[in-house]
Amino acid sequence: MTVAPGGTATTSLTVRNDSDIVEAYSLEVVGDCASWTTVEPARVSLYPGTSETVTFRLEPPRSPEIRAGEMPLAVRVLPTEHPDAVRVPETTVHVEEFHELRTELQPRRRRGWLRGRYRLAVRNEGNTPVQVGFTPGQAGEELAFAFNPAEPKLEPGESVDVGLRVRTGKPVWFGSPVVWPFTLTTTETGDQDEARAGESADRPPLDAEFVQIPIFPKWLLAVLAALLALLLAWFALVRPAVRSAAKEAANEAVQPRPTAAGEQGGEGQTPGNGSGGASASPDGQSSGQGQGQGPGGGGDGTSAGGGQQSSATIDLKTSGGQTDTGTYKVPEKSVFGVTDIVVANFQGDEGVMTISFGDRKITTIALETFRNQDYHWVTPIKIPANDTVTIEVTCAKPGTPATGRRAQGCHEVLNVSGVLSRTEQ
């Protein structure tokens, strides 16, 4: 007998009681067809010499689990009174083929400059092995298609992910994105009968799109145009104005500055020191008073322009675990205007260093955070006479100098630079 998955087929069996007593018979389907075969009635009682026909209904589901082909059907007939007289008649059922492919394309829309990648999920929902092929369709010939694998073979219930790559021949440099629609049809390749060819023809194609975006988007063109406009404005307007202002400032800087009458120095005035020569009093004695102050003079007690660049170095060695100090003392009748200090930790020691100008603490730094460190001030820090520049070092761990051998103690050097000016008498 033949049955199609998803359909129904019936057959019958006649049971006859050849014994001399009343007998009841139980009928049970066994074998691969048992899950989708029913028998009516499942139990019969017969007088001696009588018979009854029972009906078997076969309803295989439309599922890949029910493979196409020949399948045995067996029925166990079990007498109640004489169970040793059990019988198992058999027959053969032919399950017809059916073909069903389920396909899904993800994503349906892809964006790119020249190519786009898609994933095609294919599942064989039929009950017979198939080999699958893919047929793309488009309005023109602008797109090229590549499938991997190109023709997969699927057993019933088996799935496969197929990679699809879509590529265009020419890039789009400027303008709006271009949309390329295409279709994709899944077919069964190989030898096909008319029924299978009809099923493939009835399968609707999948619709998809490839959106080709331009290499240079619109906003980039707008940014380039704005940058070009700014560049032209710089060369045409801003740059000449800046050069003219700089030239005027330079000319003003080199112009001689008028000197007031009260600022004239004596005959013996030294240029650039800001102090006039000594004038003679009526009794012939020198007064020792300057007639004016040059730039930098003021009420700070320093002679105008009388300072000179000076520097001092503090070389301090400290034993491990100890704290030592090193100082530089400002000479008498002098003011030291500090503008730069440089600290050297050439061994890579570990510990803490504190730098102070007189009673003023400038900074506290960890030795392990630097090898060479410098500080600069636009406005000098003034240290009066007899005050000191002090460094206090707590040596936690001596470092290793360039010789490669660990030092016995810490070694730091501080160089302080600035203008040393003499104060008035």
Side-chain angles (χ1 to χ4, degrees):
M1 58 182 304
T2 301
V3 61
T8 302
T10 59
T11 187
S12 61
L13 173 69
T14 300
V15 181
R16 177 180 176 84
N17 182 7
D18 289 332
S19 67
D20 54 359
I21 62 173
V22 176
E23 186 65 274
Y25 300 91
S26 297
L27 294 92
E28 180 184 4
V29 180
V30 294
D32 296 337
C33 303
S35 60
W36 40 270
T37 302
T38 58
V39 56
E40 297 179 357
R43 181 183 175 87
V44 295
S45 296
L46 299 176
Y47 289 100
T50 62
S51 61
E52 185 175 346
T53 300
V54 297
T55 302
F56 293 88
R57 182 182 298 274
L58 288 77
E59 297 176 320
R62 189 177 176 87
S63 169
E65 297 179 357
I66 309 302
R67 301 291 291 264
E70 303 294 333
M71 189 174 297
L73 173 63
V75 182
R76 181 166 55 223
V77 183
L78 180 63
T80 303
E81 300 296 334
H82 298 86
D84 54 339
V86 63
R87 296 289 185 270
V88 185
E90 296 183 2
T91 187
T92 300
V93 178
H94 177 73
V95 180
E96 295 181 346
E97 295 182 0
F98 77 95
H99 299 270
E100 183 176 341
L101 289 175
R102 187 179 67 184
T103 58
E104 182 179 1
L105 183 64
Q106 291 293 338
R108 291 295 184 93
R109 183 184 179 94
R110 178 71 80 179
R111 296 168 59 89
W113 286 326
L114 289 175
R115 62 177 65 87
R117 296 182 181 274
Y118 303 80
R119 184 181 66 87
L120 185 64
V122 184
R123 177 178 172 83
N124 181 11
E125 297 284 357
N127 65 348
T128 184
V130 295
Q131 191 168 7
V132 183
F134 309 99
T135 304
Q138 56 176 317
E141 297 181 355
E142 295 83 3
L143 302 179
F145 301 87
F147 298 91
N148 184 27
E151 292 186 351
K153 186 174 182 180
L154 301 177
E155 295 294 326
E158 186 179 3
S159 301
V160 67
D161 286 339
V162 179
L164 168 61
R165 186 176 66 179
V166 178
R167 181 182 176 88
T168 60
K170 297 180 180 180
V172 176
W173 296 103
F174 303 97
S176 302
V178 180
V179 180
W180 302 106
F182 64 92
T183 60
L184 189 64
T185 303
T186 305
T187 58
E188 298 180 16
T189 61
D191 297 333
Q192 295 186 2
D193 53 22
E194 295 182 359
R196 294 172 62 184
E199 290 181 0
S200 298
D202 294 339
R203 189 175 298 114
L206 300 175
D207 296 324
E209 290 180 343
F210 174 63
V211 180
Q212 187 178 6
I213 58 178
I215 302 296
F216 301 105
K218 292 182 178 180
W219 63 265
L220 182 59
L221 296 179
V223 170
L224 293 177
L227 292 177
L228 181 60
L230 290 176
L231 190 61
L232 294 176
W234 166 260
F235 282 102
L237 302 175
V238 179
R239 187 181 181 188
V242 171
R243 296 183 65 179
S244 177
K247 187 175 181 181
E248 292 178 359
N251 291 335
E252 290 181 0
V254 299
Q255 290 295 329
R257 184 170 63 88
T259 304
E263 295 181 354
Q264 295 295 331
E267 183 178 354
Q269 180 180 2
T270 301
N273 64 3
S275 62
S279 60
S281 62
D283 57 0
Q285 298 296 324
S286 175
S287 64
Q289 297 291 332
Q291 295 185 0
Q293 291 182 341
D300 58 359
T302 62
S303 59
Q308 61 180 358
Q309 288 295 126
S310 179
S311 65
T313 300
I314 302 174
D315 192 322
L316 181 62
K317 296 182 179 180
T318 309
S319 301
Q322 301 295 322
T323 299
D324 287 330
T325 59
T327 61
Y328 161 73
K329 185 177 181 181
V330 179
E332 294 184 355
K333 299 181 181 180
S334 301
V335 173
F336 194 14
V338 180
T339 57
D340 307 273
I341 62 173
V342 178
V343 188
N345 177 20
F346 55 89
Q347 292 186 164
D349 301 328
E350 297 182 12
V352 178
M353 172 187 284
T354 300
I355 303 174
S356 302
F357 292 172
D359 295 333
R360 181 179 179 182
K361 182 183 292 185
I362 300 302
T363 183
T364 298
I365 51 180
L367 296 177
E368 57 267 22
T369 61
F370 73 97
R371 287 297 182 97
N372 290 284
Q373 185 82 338
D374 57 306
Y375 300 87
H376 310 278
W377 294 272
V378 176
T379 302
I381 301 177
K382 294 183 178 181
I383 306 175
N386 298 322
D387 269 5
T388 59
V389 176
T390 305
I391 59 171
E392 181 182 84
V393 174
T394 300
C395 179
K397 179 181 179 182
T400 303
T403 59
R405 300 177 61 184
R406 182 177 295 278
Q408 298 297 320
C410 297
H411 190 182
E412 278 67 48
V413 178
L414 171 68
N415 181 271
V416 56
S417 302
V419 177
L420 186 64
S421 304
R422 299 287 294 178
T423 59
E424 295 183 351
Q425 299 295 333

